[in-house]
Amino acid sequence: AESIRSAAIIGVGKACLERTWEKGGGHRIGYDHAAALNRQPGVRVTTAADINAENLAAFQAQFGVARGYADYREMLARE
């Protein structure tokens, strides 16, 4: 049986349909990283952290991530 490695995203960013590369952009980089990680055999994003509860909830819904944290330090300590 293939073992699954867990991955975490710190700073999920804003759920937006288009990439925003203008100054201060990169708002969906957590989404891009999660999609890339989930495409890898044996890897799944299982937890995430973001200080913005709305962004975190949207990310969790998009990727089926059950555990989310407002503080990345708590996530790292628990996971």
Side-chain angles (χ1 to χ4, degrees), residues 3-74:
S3 65
I4 301 295
R5 295 183 187 263
S6 296
I9 301 291
I10 297 174
V12 301
K14 185 174 176 81
C16 54
L17 297 176
E18 304 202 10
R19 294 175 188 258
T20 54
W21 297 111
E22 67 274 0
K23 186 176 182 181
H27 297 292
R28 58 173 284 125
I29 194 103
Y31 281 73
D32 292 340
H33 287 166
L37 286 165
N38 282 340
R39 283 193 302 269
Q40 302 306 308
V43 178
R44 288 295 163 261
V45 175
T46 59
T47 188
D50 199 286
I51 59 172
N52 183 301
E54 185 178 328
N55 290 351
L56 180 58
F59 180 88
Q60 287 181 266
Q62 173 79 25
F63 291 100
V65 173
R67 294 181 308 279
Y69 296 87
D71 186 331
Y72 75 92
R73 292 165 290 212
E74 180 184 359

